[in-house]
Amino acid sequence: MAILGSIIKGIIDLQGVFSSEVNHIEAQQTVLKDLLNKAKNTQFGKHYNFEAILNADNIEKAFADAVPYFDYDQINDAWWHKLHDGETDVTWPGELSYFALSSGTTGKTSKRIPVTDDMVDAIRSSGIKQVLSLNNFDFPADFFEKEIMMLGSSTDLEENNEFLEGEISGISASNIPFWFKGYYKPGENIAKIDDWDDRVQRIAERAKDWDIGALSGIPSWIELMLQKVIDYHNLNNIHEIWPNLTVYTSGGVAFGPYEKSFHALMGKPVTVIDTYLASEGYLATQVRPETDAMQLNTEQGIYFEFVPFKPEYINPDGSLSQDAPVVTLSDVELNQDYVLIISTVSGAWRYLIGDTIEFTDVERAEIKITGRTKFFLNTVGSQLSVNKMDAAMKGLEAHFKTKITEYTICAKRGEDDEFYHFWYIGADNENLNEEEVAEALDNLLKEANKNYKVARSKALHGVKVKIINPEMFHEWNAENKKKGGQVKMERVMGEDKFETWENFIEKN
């Protein structure tokens, strides 16, 4: 009998019995007060008079009225740059330990996002919440004795001006609790290998030594790792070497586009649990098996605000107009895309993280990520969000009986000077008829989005599709950013970037 697993499962079950339902609105009000109290004597807190905000009758409204929206460039240029010069008490009290490096989907240049000890604690607390929520999934006791493969960026953080720098997954993995290290794979030595291909090669070589019960990481890189292990050991599927693999914790991007290709690597069903860990914090996690929506971590050092996602509120560079209206958790509605705004224990204030979300359950504070503000395609009124594009890819997979793991799109004029949507689609069947795929894609988008349908009857002339090997997307990321970790493919490109992309594809 799995004695240790039974003990751990018993603790989780008891925690579930004795924990009460969170009132998320009250939790958020408490978090905001705590943030303002702790930061009121910082340079930022004094500049925006946090003391006065705390004394207001309506603290949430006073906060929104006093403090402007910031994207990364705005807050870095005005405030965070001081941290690099060794200043303290800038936007959060005390000295700083880490910077999270995030090139995200925008290019080679890394953002340097402060990560405080308070944020490390908040991420750990949210991780514990995720573990405790496993009580809802009714896994057998022996699952809790299996090892967990966490595939992120290197944990060998770089030292830069007395700070340690790396991607958030590497920072988090380097701060795992001592009691967890026995479960954690690939282990500290392999996790420190900076070169992605070398690290995955070592994982493949050691795979037989481990009894993996759970995986965690960005879908595209998890798939590549699993395929490497399968090829190295000449397997039919990953369960032939890891028979007890039960759970995959996905994060970083929406899992939907990878669902079919991921399950094709499995020998039996695996439970997929979505998480939302960004460089700026651990924002949400799935806590129930009956939904793939994620619950906002409303108690752990992050205060959330929501701007209705409408084209008139978004500037051409993807930033927010300062007159865009905002609502708090108490006033959100279903069936509405929102731009997500966060204030955190790392000293981010009314910060545009760049994602759009919608609520699936307001009382439970459960959300789905619907896209990126910079990936919203509104050329000639088409108003396509990433979730609509993802849904169209799933429709193509079903119609053409193929697997599609990556895609990118650009709206631009064709040779006839008319506007088209140009799609590059990474499919496992490169012999698909591109004109048939374009017609099917066009019809799927017309059915899914009335604005797209109107645009197609007017200024948007058509859809053009090129089918390419999915590996080309990985090689693009490797050349322009870095393999593994938090690196994601940009779904929508501007014309200049798209020209570079097309030249890359042509060359390769």
Side-chain angles (χ1 to χ4, degrees), residues 183-200:
Y183 295 91
Y184 167 57
K185 298 300 176 215
E188 294 180 81
N189 291 334
I190 295 178
K192 286 182 177 179
I193 298 173
D194 186 55
D195 184 86
W196 160 261
D197 295 309
D198 289 347
R199 196 178 340 143
V200 172

Side-chain angles (χ1 to χ4, degrees), residues 137-161:
F137 291 81
D138 197 29
F139 294 123
D142 61 357
F143 165 73
F144 297 95
E145 290 194 333
K146 307 307 177 187
E147 295 162 322
I148 300 175
M149 170 70 71
M150 296 171 60
L151 189 66
S153 57
S154 171
T155 59
D156 189 18
L157 307 177
E158 296 182 7
E159 191 166 333
N160 186 353
N161 291 335

Side-chain angles (χ1 to χ4, degrees), residues 184 263 454:
Y184 167 57
H263 288 299
V454 170

Side-chain angles (χ1 to χ4, degrees), residues 203-211 233 235 241-242:
I203 289 172
E205 293 168 358
R206 291 289 311 279
K208 281 188 174 180
D209 301 333
W210 304 325
D211 186 6
H233 294 279
L235 309 173
I241 196 168
W242 294 333

Side-chain angles (χ1 to χ4, degrees), residues 299-449:
E299 298 178 284
Q300 308 300 340
I302 301 175
Y303 174 68
F304 299 97
E305 296 174 278
F306 313 92
V307 172
F309 186 37
K310 297 182 179 180
E312 58 264 34
Y313 302 149
I314 310 298
N315 296 320
D317 63 356
S319 64
L320 269 179
S321 169
Q322 289 296 339
D323 60 1
V326 71
V327 295
T328 61
L329 189 57
S330 60
D331 295 314
V332 295
E333 299 175 350
L334 298 175
N335 303 315
Q336 165 69 59
D337 280 4
Y338 291 102
V339 179
L340 189 58
I341 306 296
I342 61 172
S343 300
T344 77
V345 291
S346 273
W349 295 103
R350 307 203 77 216
Y351 181 89
L352 172 67
I353 199 168
D355 290 326
T356 60
I357 60 98
E358 68 171 341
F359 280 84
T360 60
D361 189 312
V362 173
E363 186 177 356
R364 288 191 174 100
E366 288 180 338
I367 65 160
K368 286 187 176 183
I369 301 171
T370 57
R372 299 279 293 171
T373 55
K374 290 186 178 181
F375 292 176
F376 181 66
L377 191 62
N378 193 35
T379 305
V380 296
S382 51
Q383 293 193 21
L384 278 183
S385 59
V386 170
N387 63 326
K388 298 294 186 187
M389 301 178 205
D390 286 349
M393 293 302 104
K394 294 187 77 170
L396 292 180
E397 284 185 323
H399 184 77
F400 291 99
K401 296 180 173 57
T402 188
K403 295 193 294 287
I404 296 172
T405 54
E406 300 287 0
Y407 67 88
T408 194
I409 176 178
C410 178
K412 65 171 187 171
R413 294 185 185 275
E415 294 179 357
D416 57 2
D417 206 35
E418 299 284 356
F419 267 107
Y420 292 85
H421 283 175
F422 290 80
W423 292 76
Y424 278 77
I425 296 174
D428 65 343
N429 182 359
E430 295 180 58
N431 296 318
L432 293 172
N433 184 298
E434 293 176 340
E435 290 185 1
E436 291 180 4
V437 174
E439 182 179 0
L441 174 59
D442 193 30
N443 289 332
L444 284 166
L445 292 172
K446 286 177 183 176
E447 292 171 7
N449 189 325

Side-chain angles (χ1 to χ4, degrees), residues 33 91 97 125 194 204 227 245 247 258 416 424 461 464 494:
K33 289 178 184 177
T91 61
S97 300
S125 295
D194 186 55
Q227 192 64 60
L245 177 59
V247 173
Y258 305 93
D416 57 2
Y424 278 77
H461 206 62
K464 295 183 181 293

